[in-house]
């Protein structure tokens, strides 16, 4: 089984809809991250969390919110989706005990907002 | 603000040839990572470079880090088609374990 899983893997939604992307991990890592990937722009950090009570904005957090329900679960929400949020979204984890910076990625969620 | 630049952005090379991908970054950091991404897939960790002068090799790929020059290189030796993918470097900003990614280098190895 994969260490970092994301659901759904693909999602098509309409402008204005609320959508939640979920991430779960079995690696036992304390740190979790959400990125979006757009062609030609690499990966950009949306939010990150070092534990259940510690959530921080990344470089492009506007229009997004997150919830860390447990050490193993980190959800990303789009309260009112817009077309320019169409992208590939990745969840990642890292382990403080291992130095904290090498990140391990989930399979990604392809989101299309019409 | 940390900026990470890769070049080239696209590289088409013949099998058997050698080439180098460059990753430059704008502020001090001593941790750099290389990832591989196949089309439509996730990112796979290739190398972790943790100090100045670090060199890691795996098969036909070799990565190095020069923290004084703020430069990392990913050298490809005798390329094969299976190496076709997009390669990203990522730099630790030094605070909060955040990584800043380069825009990626799309490598296409042709027969």
């Amino acid at each position: 089984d994969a260490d970092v899983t994301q659901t759904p893997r693909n999602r098509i939604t309409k402008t204005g809809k609320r959508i939640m992307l979920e991430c779960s991990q079995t690696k036992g890592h304390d740190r979790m991250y959400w990125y979006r990937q757009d062609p030609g722009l690499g990966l950009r950090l949306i939010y990150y969390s070092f534990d259940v009570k510690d959530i921080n904005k990344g470089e492009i957090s506007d229009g997004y919110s997150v919830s860390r329900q447990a050490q193993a679960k980190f959800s990303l929400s789009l309260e009112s989706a817009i077309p320019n949020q169409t992208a590939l979204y990745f969840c990642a984890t890292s382990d403080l005990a291992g130095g904290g910076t090498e990140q391990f990625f989930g399979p990604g969620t392809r989101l299309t907002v019409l | 603000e940390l900026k990470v630049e890769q070049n080239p952005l696209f590289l088409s090379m013949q099998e058997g040839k050698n080439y180098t991908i460059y990753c430059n970054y704008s502020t001090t950091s001593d941790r750099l990572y290389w990832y591989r991404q196949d089309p439509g897939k996730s990112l796979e960790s290739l190398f972790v470079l943790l100090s100045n002068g670090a060199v890691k090799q795996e098969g036909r790929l070799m990565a190095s880090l020069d923290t004084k020059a703020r430069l990392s290189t990913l050298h490809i030796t005798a390329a094969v088609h299976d190496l076709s993918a997009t390669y990203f470097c990522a730099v630790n900003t030094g605070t909060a374990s955040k990584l800043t990614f380069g825009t990626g280098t799309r490598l296409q190895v042709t027969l």
Side-chain angles (χ1 to χ4, degrees), chain A residues 9 31 33 35 37 40-43 45 48 50 88 90 94 98-107 110, chain B residues 1 31 33 35 37 40-45 47-48 50 88 92 95-104:
Chain A
R9 295 293 311 281
R31 301 179 174 193
Y33 310 80
Y35 293 89
Q37 184 178 29
L41 293 178
L43 277 76
L45 183 63
Y48 60 102
F50 286 171
L88 187 54
F90 287 103
S94 69
T101 54
E102 184 180 11
Q103 296 183 14
F104 300 87
F105 286 80
R110 185 168 297 280
Chain B
E1 179 187 347
R31 293 176 179 232
Y33 304 83
Y35 288 88
Q37 185 181 34
K41 303 293 186 181
S42 187
L43 279 76
E44 172 192 355
S45 180
F47 298 109
V48 178
L50 298 178
F88 292 93
N92 174 32
T95 59
S97 303
K98 293 192 295 180
L99 293 181
T100 299
F101 282 80
T103 51

Side-chain angles (χ1 to χ4, degrees), chain B residues 8-104:
Chain B
L9 298 183
F10 176 73
L11 175 58
S12 180
M13 58 190 298
Q14 289 182 320
E15 277 200 337
K17 299 292 187 181
N18 304 332
Y19 209 85
T20 300
I21 298 171
Y22 297 88
C23 174
N24 293 272
Y25 53 97
S26 61
T27 63
T28 301
S29 175
D30 61 359
R31 293 176 179 232
L32 189 138
Y33 304 83
W34 284 96
Y35 288 88
R36 169 182 171 143
Q37 185 181 34
D38 292 301
K41 303 293 186 181
S42 187
L43 279 76
E44 172 192 355
S45 180
L46 291 175
F47 298 109
V48 178
L49 303 170
L50 298 178
S51 62
N52 186 42
V55 177
K56 296 278 185 75
Q57 182 163 5
E58 180 72 33
R60 300 174 187 273
L61 301 178
M62 183 173 71
S64 66
L65 177 62
D66 181 343
T67 59
K68 294 179 181 177
R70 298 177 186 169
L71 171 69
S72 179
T73 61
L74 180 66
H75 186 72
I76 303 152
T77 301
V80 293
H81 181 70
D82 285 351
L83 291 178
S84 297
T86 299
Y87 294 85
F88 292 93
C89 63
V91 178
N92 174 32
T93 62
T95 59
S97 303
K98 293 192 295 180
L99 293 181
T100 299
F101 282 80
T103 51

Side-chain angles (χ1 to χ4, degrees), chain A residues 3-112:
Chain A
D3 295 321
V4 184
T5 58
Q6 293 182 232
T7 57
R9 295 293 311 281
N10 288 282
R11 180 72 183 266
I12 300 174
T13 191
K14 295 182 178 180
T15 298
K17 294 292 187 181
R18 183 179 189 275
I19 184 167
M20 178 181 287
L21 309 182
E22 298 186 336
C23 176
S24 294
Q25 53 116 346
T26 58
K27 298 180 77 68
H29 288 175
D30 47 350
R31 301 179 174 193
M32 298 186 74
Y33 310 80
W34 275 105
Y35 293 89
R36 68 176 276 175
Q37 184 178 29
D38 299 278
L41 293 178
L43 277 76
R44 293 181 291 166
L45 183 63
I46 305 172
Y47 271 96
Y48 60 102
S49 170
F50 286 171
D51 64 39
V52 174
K53 297 180 180 180
D54 181 6
I55 292 178
N56 305 277
K57 292 182 178 181
E59 60 179 305
I60 54 163
S61 58
D62 287 349
Y64 302 95
S65 63
V66 290
S67 173
R68 185 85 183 264
Q69 301 94 324
Q71 187 197 34
K73 295 183 182 296
F74 193 36
S75 300
L76 176 71
S77 293
L78 288 68
E79 296 300 326
S80 180
I82 56 177
N84 76 2
Q85 291 177 313
T86 293
L88 187 54
Y89 290 84
F90 287 103
C91 173
T93 72
S94 69
D95 181 15
L96 175 62
T101 54
E102 184 180 11
Q103 296 183 14
F104 300 87
F105 286 80
T109 294
R110 185 168 297 280
L111 176 65
T112 303

